[in-house]
Coordinates of all heavy atoms in Angstrom, one line a residue:
M884 N 138.7 -13.8 35.5 CA 139.7 -12.8 35.9 C 139.9 -11.9 34.6 O 140.2 -12.5 33.6 CB 141.0 -13.5 36.3 CG 142.1 -12.5 36.6 SD 143.3 -13.2 37.7 CE 144.5 -13.7 36.5
P885 N 139.8 -10.7 34.7 CA 140.0 -9.8 33.5 C 141.4 -9.7 33.1 O 142.3 -9.8 33.9 CB 139.4 -8.4 34.0 CG 139.5 -8.5 35.5 CD 139.4 -9.9 35.9
Y886 N 141.6 -9.4 31.8 CA 142.9 -9.3 31.2 C 142.9 -8.0 30.4 O 141.9 -7.6 29.8 CB 143.3 -10.4 30.4 CG 143.5 -11.7 31.1 CD1 142.5 -12.6 31.3 CD2 144.7 -12.0 31.6 CE1 142.6 -13.8 31.9 CE2 144.9 -13.2 32.4 CZ 143.9 -14.0 32.5 OH 144.0 -15.3 33.2
I887 N 144.0 -7.4 30.2 CA 144.2 -6.3 29.4 C 144.8 -6.8 28.1 O 145.9 -7.5 28.1 CB 145.1 -5.1 29.9 CG1 144.4 -4.5 31.1 CG2 145.4 -4.1 28.8 CD1 145.3 -3.5 31.8
G888 N 144.2 -6.7 27.0 CA 144.7 -7.4 25.7 C 144.0 -8.7 25.5 O 143.0 -9.0 26.0
N889 N 144.7 -9.5 24.8 CA 144.2 -10.9 24.5 C 144.2 -11.8 25.7 O 145.1 -11.7 26.5 CB 145.0 -11.5 23.3 CG 144.9 -10.7 22.0 OD1 143.9 -10.1 21.8 ND2 145.9 -10.8 21.2
T890 N 143.3 -12.7 25.8 CA 143.2 -13.6 26.8 C 144.3 -14.7 26.6 O 144.5 -15.2 25.4 CB 141.8 -14.4 26.8 OG1 140.8 -13.4 27.0 CG2 141.8 -15.4 28.0
P891 N 145.1 -14.9 27.6 CA 146.2 -16.0 27.3 C 145.7 -17.3 27.0 O 144.6 -17.7 27.4 CB 146.9 -16.0 28.7 CG 146.5 -14.8 29.5 CD 145.2 -14.4 28.9
A892 N 146.4 -18.0 26.0 CA 146.0 -19.3 25.6 C 146.2 -20.3 26.7 O 147.2 -20.2 27.5 CB 146.7 -19.7 24.4
D893 N 145.4 -21.4 26.9 CA 145.7 -22.4 27.8 C 146.9 -23.1 27.4 O 147.2 -23.3 26.2 CB 144.5 -23.4 27.9 CG 143.2 -22.8 28.5 OD1 143.4 -21.9 29.3 OD2 142.1 -23.3 28.2
K894 N 147.7 -23.7 28.4 CA 148.9 -24.4 28.1 C 148.7 -25.9 28.6 O 148.1 -26.1 29.7 CB 150.1 -23.8 28.9 CG 150.4 -22.4 28.5 CD 151.1 -22.2 27.2 CE 151.5 -20.8 27.1 NZ 151.7 -20.4 25.8
Y895 N 149.1 -26.7 27.9 CA 149.1 -28.2 28.2 C 150.6 -28.6 28.3 O 151.4 -28.3 27.4 CB 148.4 -29.0 27.1 CG 146.9 -28.5 26.9 CD1 146.7 -27.5 25.9 CD2 145.9 -28.9 27.7 CE1 145.4 -27.0 25.7 CE2 144.7 -28.4 27.6 CZ 144.3 -27.4 26.6 OH 143.1 -27.0 26.4
S896 N 150.8 -29.4 29.3 CA 152.2 -29.9 29.5 C 152.3 -31.4 29.5 O 151.4 -32.1 29.9 CB 152.7 -29.4 30.9 OG 152.8 -28.0 30.9
S897 N 153.4 -31.8 29.0 CA 153.7 -33.3 29.1 C 155.3 -33.3 29.3 O 156.0 -32.4 28.9 CB 153.3 -34.0 27.8 OG 154.0 -33.5 26.7
F898 N 155.7 -34.4 29.8 CA 157.1 -34.6 30.0 C 157.8 -35.4 28.9 O 157.2 -36.3 28.4 CB 157.4 -35.2 31.4 CG 157.0 -34.4 32.5 CD1 155.8 -34.6 33.2 CD2 157.8 -33.3 33.0 CE1 155.4 -33.8 34.3 CE2 157.4 -32.6 34.0 CZ 156.3 -32.7 34.7
A899 N 159.0 -35.0 28.6 CA 159.8 -35.8 27.6 C 160.1 -37.2 28.2 O 160.4 -37.3 29.4 CB 161.0 -35.0 27.2
V900 N 160.0 -38.2 27.4 CA 160.2 -39.6 27.9 C 161.2 -40.2 26.9 O 161.1 -40.0 25.7 CB 158.9 -40.4 27.9 CG1 159.2 -41.9 28.3 CG2 157.9 -39.8 28.9
Q901 N 162.1 -41.1 27.4 CA 163.0 -41.8 26.6 C 162.9 -43.3 27.0 O 163.0 -43.7 28.2 CB 164.5 -41.4 26.8 CG 165.5 -42.2 26.0 CD 166.9 -41.7 26.2 OE1 167.2 -40.7 26.9 NE2 167.8 -42.4 25.6
H902 N 162.7 -44.2 26.0 CA 162.7 -45.6 26.2 C 164.0 -46.2 25.8 O 164.6 -45.7 24.8 CB 161.5 -46.3 25.4 CG 160.2 -45.8 25.9 ND1 159.5 -46.5 26.8 CD2 159.4 -44.8 25.5 CE1 158.4 -46.0 27.0 NE2 158.3 -44.9 26.3
F903 N 164.5 -47.1 26.6 CA 165.9 -47.7 26.3 C 165.7 -49.1 25.8 O 164.8 -49.8 26.2 CB 166.7 -47.7 27.6 CG 167.0 -46.4 28.1 CD1 166.2 -45.8 29.0 CD2 168.1 -45.7 27.7 CE1 166.5 -44.5 29.5 CE2 168.4 -44.4 28.2 CZ 167.6 -43.8 29.2
T904 N 166.6 -49.5 24.9 CA 166.7 -50.9 24.6 C 167.8 -51.5 25.6 O 168.9 -51.1 25.5 CB 167.2 -51.1 23.1 OG1 166.4 -50.4 22.3 CG2 167.4 -52.6 22.8
T905 N 167.3 -52.3 26.5 CA 168.2 -52.7 27.6 C 169.2 -53.7 26.9 O 168.8 -54.6 26.1 CB 167.5 -53.3 28.7 OG1 166.6 -54.4 28.2 CG2 166.7 -52.3 29.5
S906 N 170.4 -53.7 27.4 CA 171.4 -54.6 26.8 C 172.3 -55.2 27.9 O 173.5 -55.4 27.7 CB 172.3 -53.8 25.9 OG 172.9 -52.7 26.5
A907 N 171.7 -55.4 29.1 CA 172.5 -56.1 30.2 C 173.8 -55.3 30.5 O 174.8 -55.9 30.6 CB 172.7 -57.5 29.9
T908 N 173.7 -54.0 30.7 CA 174.8 -53.2 30.9 C 174.5 -52.2 32.0 O 173.3 -52.1 32.4 CB 175.4 -52.5 29.7 OG1 176.6 -51.8 30.0 CG2 174.3 -51.5 29.1
T909 N 175.5 -51.4 32.5 CA 175.2 -50.3 33.4 C 175.3 -49.0 32.9 O 175.0 -48.0 33.5 CB 176.2 -50.4 34.6 OG1 177.6 -50.3 34.1 CG2 176.1 -51.7 35.3
S910 N 175.8 -48.8 31.6 CA 176.0 -47.4 31.0 C 175.0 -47.3 29.8 O 174.9 -48.1 28.9 CB 177.4 -47.3 30.5 OG 178.3 -47.4 31.6
Y911 N 174.3 -46.1 29.9 CA 173.4 -45.7 28.8 C 173.6 -44.2 28.5 O 174.1 -43.5 29.3 CB 171.9 -45.9 29.3 CG 171.6 -47.4 29.5 CD1 171.8 -48.0 30.7 CD2 171.1 -48.2 28.4 CE1 171.5 -49.4 30.9 CE2 170.8 -49.5 28.6 CZ 171.0 -50.1 29.8 OH 170.8 -51.4 30.0
T912 N 173.1 -43.8 27.3 CA 173.1 -42.4 26.9 C 171.8 -41.8 26.9 O 170.9 -42.4 26.3 CB 173.8 -42.3 25.5 OG1 175.1 -43.0 25.6 CG2 173.9 -40.9 25.1
L913 N 171.6 -40.7 27.5 CA 170.3 -39.9 27.5 C 170.2 -39.1 26.3 O 171.2 -38.6 25.8 CB 170.2 -39.1 28.8 CG 170.3 -39.8 30.1 CD1 170.4 -38.7 31.3 CD2 169.1 -40.6 30.4
D914 N 168.9 -39.0 25.8 CA 168.7 -38.1 24.7 C 168.8 -36.6 25.0 O 169.1 -35.8 24.2 CB 167.2 -38.3 24.2 CG 167.0 -39.6 23.5 OD1 168.1 -40.2 23.1 OD2 165.9 -40.1 23.4
Q915 N 168.6 -36.3 26.3 CA 168.6 -34.9 26.8 C 169.7 -34.8 27.9 O 169.9 -35.7 28.7 CB 167.3 -34.5 27.5 CG 166.1 -34.7 26.7 CD 165.9 -33.7 25.6 OE1 166.3 -32.5 25.8 NE2 165.2 -34.0 24.5
S916 N 170.4 -33.7 27.9 CA 171.4 -33.4 28.9 C 170.8 -33.1 30.2 O 169.8 -32.2 30.2 CB 172.4 -32.4 28.5 OG 173.4 -32.2 29.4
V917 N 171.3 -33.6 31.3 CA 170.7 -33.2 32.6 C 171.9 -32.8 33.6 O 173.0 -33.2 33.3 CB 170.0 -34.5 33.3 CG1 168.8 -34.8 32.5 CG2 170.9 -35.7 33.4
A918 N 171.5 -32.0 34.6 CA 172.6 -31.6 35.5 C 172.9 -32.7 36.5 O 174.1 -32.8 36.9 CB 172.1 -30.3 36.3
N919 N 171.9 -33.5 36.9 CA 172.1 -34.6 37.8 C 170.9 -35.6 37.7 O 170.0 -35.3 37.0 CB 172.4 -34.2 39.2 CG 171.2 -33.3 39.8 OD1 170.1 -33.8 39.7 ND2 171.6 -32.2 40.4
E920 N 171.1 -36.7 38.5 CA 170.0 -37.7 38.4 C 168.6 -37.2 38.9 O 167.6 -37.9 38.7 CB 170.5 -39.0 39.2 CG 170.8 -38.8 40.7 CD 172.2 -38.3 40.9 OE1 173.0 -38.1 39.9 OE2 172.6 -38.2 42.1
N921 N 168.6 -36.2 39.7 CA 167.3 -35.7 40.2 C 166.4 -35.0 39.1 O 165.3 -34.7 39.4 CB 167.5 -34.8 41.4 CG 168.2 -35.4 42.5 OD1 167.8 -36.5 42.8 ND2 169.2 -34.8 43.2
E922 N 167.0 -34.9 37.9 CA 166.2 -34.3 36.9 C 165.5 -35.3 36.0 O 164.7 -35.0 35.1 CB 167.1 -33.4 35.9 CG 167.5 -32.2 36.6 CD 168.2 -31.2 35.6 OE1 168.1 -31.5 34.4 OE2 168.8 -30.3 36.0
I923 N 165.6 -36.6 36.4 CA 164.9 -37.7 35.7 C 164.3 -38.6 36.7 O 164.7 -38.7 37.8 CB 165.8 -38.5 34.7 CG1 166.9 -39.3 35.5 CG2 166.4 -37.6 33.7 CD1 167.7 -40.2 34.7
A924 N 163.3 -39.4 36.2 CA 162.7 -40.4 37.0 C 162.9 -41.7 36.2 O 162.5 -41.7 35.0 CB 161.2 -40.2 37.2
L925 N 163.7 -42.6 36.7 CA 164.0 -43.9 36.0 C 163.2 -45.0 36.4 O 163.0 -45.2 37.6 CB 165.5 -44.2 36.2 CG 166.0 -45.4 35.4 CD1 166.1 -45.1 33.9 CD2 167.4 -45.8 35.9
F926 N 162.6 -45.8 35.4 CA 161.7 -46.9 35.7 C 162.3 -48.1 35.1 O 162.7 -48.1 33.9 CB 160.3 -46.7 35.2 CG 159.6 -45.5 35.9 CD1 159.8 -44.2 35.4 CD2 158.8 -45.7 36.9 CE1 159.2 -43.2 36.1 CE2 158.1 -44.7 37.5 CZ 158.3 -43.4 37.1
I927 N 162.5 -49.2 35.9 CA 162.9 -50.5 35.3 C 161.8 -51.5 35.6 O 161.4 -51.6 36.8 CB 164.2 -51.0 35.9 CG1 165.4 -50.0 35.5 CG2 164.6 -52.4 35.4 CD1 166.7 -50.3 36.2
N928 N 161.2 -52.1 34.6 CA 160.1 -53.0 34.7 C 158.9 -52.2 35.4 O 158.2 -52.9 36.3 CB 160.4 -54.3 35.4 CG 161.4 -55.1 34.6 OD1 161.4 -55.1 33.4 ND2 162.3 -55.7 35.3
N929 N 158.7 -51.0 35.1 CA 157.6 -50.1 35.7 C 157.8 -49.9 37.1 O 156.9 -49.4 37.8 CB 156.3 -50.7 35.3 CG 156.0 -50.6 33.9 OD1 156.3 -49.6 33.2 ND2 155.4 -51.6 33.3
V930 N 159.0 -50.0 37.7 CA 159.3 -49.7 39.1 C 160.2 -48.5 39.1 O 161.3 -48.6 38.6 CB 159.9 -51.0 39.8 CG1 160.2 -50.6 41.3 CG2 158.9 -52.1 39.8
R931 N 159.8 -47.5 39.8 CA 160.6 -46.3 39.9 C 161.9 -46.6 40.8 O 161.8 -47.2 41.8 CB 159.9 -45.1 40.5 CG 160.7 -43.9 40.4 CD 159.9 -42.6 40.7 NE 160.8 -41.4 40.6 CZ 160.3 -40.2 40.7 NH1 159.0 -40.0 40.9 NH2 161.1 -39.2 40.6
Q932 N 163.0 -46.2 40.3 CA 164.3 -46.4 40.9 C 164.7 -45.2 41.7 O 164.4 -44.1 41.4 CB 165.4 -46.7 39.9 CG 165.1 -47.9 38.9 CD 164.9 -49.2 39.7 OE1 165.8 -49.7 40.4 NE2 163.6 -49.8 39.5
E933 N 165.4 -45.4 42.8 CA 165.9 -44.3 43.7 C 167.2 -43.7 43.1 O 168.1 -44.4 42.9 CB 166.1 -44.8 45.1 CG 166.3 -43.7 46.0 CD 166.2 -44.1 47.5 OE1 166.0 -45.3 47.8 OE2 166.3 -43.2 48.4
P934 N 167.2 -42.4 42.9 CA 168.4 -41.8 42.4 C 169.5 -41.6 43.4 O 169.2 -41.5 44.6 CB 167.9 -40.4 41.9 CG 166.7 -40.1 42.8 CD 166.1 -41.4 43.1
G935 N 170.7 -41.6 42.9 CA 171.8 -41.3 43.8 C 172.9 -42.4 43.7 O 172.7 -43.6 43.4
S936 N 174.1 -42.0 44.0 CA 175.3 -43.0 43.9 C 175.2 -44.1 44.9 O 175.7 -45.2 44.6 CB 176.6 -42.2 44.1 OG 176.7 -41.6 45.3
S937 N 174.5 -43.9 46.0 CA 174.4 -45.0 46.9 C 173.2 -45.9 46.6 O 172.9 -46.8 47.3 CB 174.2 -44.5 48.4 OG 175.3 -43.7 48.7
Y938 N 172.4 -45.5 45.6 CA 171.1 -46.2 45.3 C 171.2 -46.9 43.9 O 172.1 -47.5 43.5 CB 170.0 -45.3 45.5 CG 169.9 -44.7 46.9 CD1 170.3 -43.4 47.1 CD2 169.6 -45.5 47.9 CE1 170.3 -42.9 48.4 CE2 169.6 -45.0 49.2 CZ 169.9 -43.7 49.5 OH 169.9 -43.2 50.8
A939 N 170.2 -46.6 43.0 CA 170.1 -47.3 41.8 C 170.8 -46.7 40.6 O 171.3 -47.4 39.7 CB 168.6 -47.4 41.4
Y940 N 171.0 -45.3 40.5 CA 171.6 -44.8 39.3 C 172.1 -43.3 39.6 O 171.7 -42.7 40.5 CB 170.6 -44.7 38.2 CG 169.4 -43.8 38.4 CD1 169.4 -42.5 37.9 CD2 168.3 -44.2 39.1 CE1 168.3 -41.6 38.1 CE2 167.2 -43.4 39.3 CZ 167.2 -42.0 38.8 OH 166.2 -41.2 39.0
T941 N 173.0 -42.9 38.7 CA 173.4 -41.5 38.7 C 173.3 -41.0 37.2 O 173.3 -41.9 36.3 CB 174.9 -41.3 39.1 OG1 175.8 -42.2 38.3 CG2 175.1 -41.8 40.6
A942 N 173.2 -39.8 37.1 CA 173.2 -39.2 35.8 C 173.9 -37.8 35.8 O 173.8 -37.1 36.7 CB 171.7 -39.0 35.3
N943 N 174.6 -37.5 34.7 CA 175.3 -36.3 34.5 C 175.5 -36.1 33.0 O 176.1 -36.9 32.4 CB 176.7 -36.3 35.3 CG 177.3 -35.0 35.3 OD1 176.7 -33.9 34.8 ND2 178.5 -34.9 35.9
G944 N 175.1 -34.9 32.5 CA 175.2 -34.7 31.1 C 174.2 -35.6 30.4 O 173.1 -35.7 30.8
T945 N 174.8 -36.4 29.5 CA 173.9 -37.4 28.8 C 174.3 -38.8 29.3 O 173.8 -39.8 28.7 CB 174.1 -37.3 27.3 OG1 175.5 -37.5 27.0 CG2 173.6 -36.0 26.7
A946 N 175.1 -38.9 30.3 CA 175.5 -40.2 30.8 C 174.6 -40.7 31.9 O 174.4 -40.0 32.9 CB 177.0 -40.1 31.3
L947 N 174.1 -41.9 31.8 CA 173.3 -42.5 32.7 C 174.0 -43.8 33.2 O 174.3 -44.6 32.4 CB 171.9 -42.9 32.2 CG 171.0 -43.7 33.1 CD1 170.6 -43.0 34.4 CD2 169.7 -44.2 32.4
T948 N 174.3 -43.9 34.5 CA 175.0 -45.0 35.0 C 174.2 -45.7 36.1 O 173.8 -45.1 37.1 CB 176.4 -44.6 35.6 OG1 177.1 -43.9 34.6 CG2 177.2 -45.8 36.1
L949 N 174.0 -47.0 35.9 CA 173.2 -47.8 36.8 C 174.2 -48.5 37.8 O 175.3 -48.8 37.5 CB 172.4 -48.9 36.2 CG 171.4 -48.5 35.0 CD1 170.7 -49.6 34.4 CD2 170.5 -47.4 35.5
S950 N 173.7 -48.7 39.1 CA 174.5 -49.4 40.1 C 174.6 -50.9 39.8 O 175.5 -51.5 40.2 CB 174.0 -49.1 41.5 OG 172.7 -49.5 41.6
S951 N 173.6 -51.4 39.1 CA 173.6 -52.9 38.8 C 173.1 -53.0 37.3 O 172.2 -52.2 36.9 CB 172.6 -53.7 39.6 OG 173.0 -53.6 41.0
A952 N 173.7 -53.9 36.6 CA 173.3 -54.1 35.2 C 171.9 -54.6 35.0 O 171.4 -55.3 35.9 CB 174.3 -55.1 34.5
T953 N 171.2 -54.1 34.0 CA 169.9 -54.6 33.6 C 170.0 -56.0 33.0 O 171.1 -56.4 32.6 CB 169.2 -53.7 32.6 OG1 170.1 -53.5 31.5 CG2 168.9 -52.3 33.2
A954 N 168.9 -56.7 33.1 CA 168.8 -58.0 32.4 C 168.4 -57.8 31.0 O 167.7 -56.8 30.7 CB 167.9 -58.9 33.1
A955 N 168.6 -58.6 30.1 CA 168.2 -58.5 28.6 C 166.7 -58.5 28.5 O 166.1 -57.9 27.6 CB 168.8 -59.6 27.8
T956 N 166.0 -59.0 29.5 CA 164.5 -59.1 29.4 C 163.8 -57.8 30.1 O 162.7 -57.7 30.1 CB 164.0 -60.3 30.1 OG1 164.5 -60.4 31.5 CG2 164.5 -61.6 29.3
D957 N 164.6 -57.0 30.8 CA 164.1 -55.8 31.5 C 163.6 -54.8 30.5 O 164.1 -54.7 29.4 CB 165.1 -55.2 32.4 CG 165.5 -56.0 33.6 OD1 164.7 -56.9 34.0 OD2 166.6 -55.8 34.2
T958 N 162.6 -54.0 30.9 CA 162.2 -52.8 30.2 C 162.6 -51.6 31.0 O 162.5 -51.6 32.3 CB 160.6 -52.8 30.0 OG1 160.0 -52.8 31.2 CG2 160.2 -53.9 29.1
M959 N 163.0 -50.6 30.3 CA 163.6 -49.4 31.1 C 163.2 -48.2 30.3 O 163.3 -48.1 29.1 CB 165.1 -49.5 31.2 CG 165.6 -48.4 32.1 SD 167.4 -48.6 32.5 CE 168.2 -48.1 31.0
Y960 N 162.8 -47.1 31.0 CA 162.5 -45.8 30.5 C 162.7 -44.7 31.5 O 162.8 -45.0 32.8 CB 161.1 -45.7 29.9 CG 160.0 -45.8 30.9 CD1 159.4 -44.7 31.4 CD2 159.5 -47.0 31.3 CE1 158.3 -44.8 32.3 CE2 158.4 -47.2 32.2 CZ 157.9 -46.0 32.7 OH 156.8 -46.1 33.6
C961 N 162.9 -43.5 31.1 CA 163.1 -42.4 32.0 C 162.2 -41.3 31.6 O 161.9 -41.1 30.4 CB 164.5 -41.9 32.1 SG 165.2 -41.0 30.8
V962 N 161.8 -40.5 32.5 CA 161.0 -39.3 32.3 C 161.8 -38.1 32.7 O 162.4 -38.1 33.8 CB 159.7 -39.4 33.2 CG1 158.8 -38.1 33.0 CG2 158.8 -40.6 32.9
F963 N 161.9 -37.2 31.8 CA 162.7 -36.0 32.1 C 161.9 -35.0 32.9 O 161.2 -34.2 32.2 CB 163.3 -35.4 30.8 CG 164.3 -36.3 30.1 CD1 163.9 -37.2 29.2 CD2 165.6 -36.2 30.4 CE1 164.8 -38.0 28.5 CE2 166.6 -37.0 29.7 CZ 166.1 -37.9 28.8
I964 N 162.0 -35.0 34.2 CA 161.1 -34.1 35.0 C 161.5 -32.7 34.8 O 160.6 -31.8 34.8 CB 161.4 -34.6 36.5 CG1 160.9 -36.0 36.7 CG2 160.6 -33.6 37.4 CD1 161.3 -36.5 38.0
G965 N 162.7 -32.3 34.5 CA 163.1 -31.0 34.4 C 162.8 -30.5 32.9 O 163.1 -29.3 32.6
K966 N 162.3 -31.4 32.1 CA 162.1 -31.0 30.7 C 160.5 -31.1 30.4 O 160.2 -32.1 29.8 CB 162.9 -31.8 29.8 CG 162.7 -31.7 28.3 CD 163.6 -30.7 27.7 CE 163.4 -30.7 26.2 NZ 163.6 -29.4 25.6
A967 N 159.8 -30.1 30.7 CA 158.3 -30.2 30.4 C 158.2 -29.6 29.0 O 158.8 -28.6 28.7 CB 157.5 -29.4 31.4
V968 N 157.4 -30.2 28.1 CA 157.1 -29.7 26.8 C 155.7 -29.0 26.9 O 154.7 -29.7 27.2 CB 157.1 -30.8 25.8 CG1 156.8 -30.4 24.4 CG2 158.5 -31.5 25.8
Q969 N 155.7 -27.8 26.6 CA 154.4 -27.0 26.6 C 153.9 -26.7 25.2 O 154.6 -26.4 24.3 CB 154.5 -25.8 27.4 CG 154.6 -26.0 28.9 CD 154.4 -24.7 29.6 OE1 154.7 -23.6 29.2 NE2 153.9 -24.8 30.8
T970 N 152.6 -26.8 25.1 CA 151.9 -26.5 23.8 C 150.5 -25.9 24.1 O 150.0 -26.1 25.2 CB 151.8 -27.7 22.9 OG1 151.2 -27.4 21.7 CG2 151.1 -28.8 23.6
V971 N 149.9 -25.2 23.2 CA 148.6 -24.8 23.3 C 147.6 -25.8 22.7 O 146.4 -25.6 22.7 CB 148.3 -23.4 22.8 CG1 149.1 -22.3 23.5 CG2 148.7 -23.3 21.3
T972 N 148.1 -26.9 22.2 CA 147.3 -27.9 21.6 C 147.3 -29.1 22.5 O 148.4 -29.6 22.9 CB 147.9 -28.4 20.2 OG1 148.1 -27.2 19.4 CG2 147.0 -29.4 19.5
P973 N 146.1 -29.5 22.9 CA 146.0 -30.7 23.8 C 146.6 -32.0 23.1 O 146.5 -32.1 21.9 CB 144.5 -30.9 24.1 CG 143.8 -30.0 23.2 CD 144.8 -29.1 22.6
S974 N 147.1 -32.9 23.9 CA 147.7 -34.1 23.3 C 146.5 -35.0 22.6 O 145.4 -34.9 23.0 CB 148.4 -34.9 24.4 OG 147.5 -35.3 25.4
A975 N 147.0 -35.9 21.7 CA 146.0 -36.7 21.0 C 145.2 -37.6 21.9 O 145.7 -38.1 22.9 CB 146.8 -37.5 20.0
N976 N 143.9 -37.6 21.7 CA 143.0 -38.4 22.4 C 142.8 -38.0 23.9 O 142.4 -38.8 24.7 CB 143.3 -39.9 22.4 CG 143.4 -40.5 21.0 OD1 142.5 -40.1 20.2 ND2 144.4 -41.2 20.7
S977 N 143.2 -36.8 24.2 CA 143.0 -36.3 25.6 C 141.7 -35.6 25.8 O 141.3 -35.3 27.0 CB 144.1 -35.4 26.0 OG 144.1 -34.1 25.2
I978 N 140.9 -35.3 24.8 CA 139.6 -34.6 24.9 C 138.5 -35.7 24.7 O 138.6 -36.4 23.7 CB 139.5 -33.5 23.8 CG1 140.6 -32.5 23.9 CG2 138.1 -32.8 23.9 CD1 140.7 -31.7 25.2
T979 N 137.6 -35.7 25.6 CA 136.5 -36.7 25.5 C 135.2 -36.0 25.2 O 135.1 -34.7 25.3 CB 136.3 -37.4 26.9 OG1 135.9 -36.4 27.8 CG2 137.6 -38.1 27.3
A980 N 134.2 -36.7 24.8 CA 132.9 -36.0 24.4 C 132.3 -35.3 25.6 O 131.7 -34.3 25.4 CB 132.0 -37.1 23.9
A981 N 132.6 -35.7 26.8 CA 132.0 -35.1 28.0 C 132.6 -33.7 28.2 O 132.0 -32.9 28.9 CB 132.2 -36.0 29.2
M982 N 133.8 -33.5 27.6 CA 134.4 -32.2 27.8 C 134.0 -31.1 26.8 O 134.3 -30.0 27.0 CB 136.0 -32.3 27.7 CG 136.6 -33.2 28.7 SD 138.3 -33.5 28.2 CE 139.0 -34.1 29.7
I983 N 133.2 -31.5 25.8 CA 132.8 -30.6 24.7 C 131.4 -30.1 25.1 O 130.5 -30.8 25.3 CB 132.8 -31.4 23.4 CG1 134.2 -31.8 23.0 CG2 132.2 -30.4 22.3 CD1 134.3 -32.6 21.8
V984 N 131.3 -28.8 25.1 CA 130.0 -28.1 25.4 C 129.4 -27.7 24.1 O 130.0 -27.1 23.2 CB 130.2 -26.9 26.3 CG1 128.9 -26.2 26.6 CG2 130.9 -27.3 27.6
D985 N 128.1 -28.1 23.9 CA 127.4 -27.8 22.7 C 126.7 -26.5 22.8 O 126.1 -26.2 23.7 CB 126.5 -28.9 22.3 CG 126.0 -28.9 20.9 OD1 126.5 -28.0 20.2 OD2 125.1 -29.7 20.6

């Protein structure tokens, strides 16, 4: 497709992720502020949790509230769906030899 001026640079996107140190509680603090729980995907022991006050968790601002406390042995992280980080540099180890044309 032709362009007038410089050809736009390719953009690579990744989502911001936060890992939590679980402490057998229901209240956590997010690194990024969110409007509601639908802006994050929360995973406990690599299982995605259903957002909403009638389900697994709610989020507002930087407050994350779980409906049930985590266990000390649980792993938990969230992906900020509404916060994509864009760059023109591909992420580390994302380019393979098969992608390079000689």
Side-chain angles (χ1 to χ4, degrees):
M884 178 159 96
Y886 293 93
I887 296 175
N889 295 331
T890 303
D893 290 332
K894 301 282 187 202
Y895 302 95
S896 296
S897 63
F898 292 101
V900 176
Q901 179 180 354
H902 294 270
F903 297 90
T904 303
T905 55
S906 58
T908 186
T909 59
S910 298
Y911 293 89
T912 302
L913 297 170
D914 289 342
Q915 308 281 334
S916 183
V917 296
N919 59 47
E920 60 272 3
N921 295 318
E922 289 189 13
I923 64 171
L925 183 68
F926 295 84
I927 299 175
N928 297 326
N929 293 319
V930 176
R931 187 168 181 173
Q932 305 299 303
E933 188 168 4
S936 59
S937 299
Y938 303 106
Y940 67 94
T941 59
N943 188 0
T945 58
L947 171 65
T948 306
L949 306 181
S950 58
S951 298
T953 55
T956 57
D957 289 339
T958 60
M959 185 171 83
Y960 65 95
C961 77
V962 178
F963 292 90
I964 298 170
K966 173 94 174 145
V968 179
Q969 285 193 332
T970 180
V971 293
T972 306
S974 59
N976 301 319
S977 67
I978 304 297
T979 65
M982 297 172 163
I983 298 174
V984 176
D985 194 7

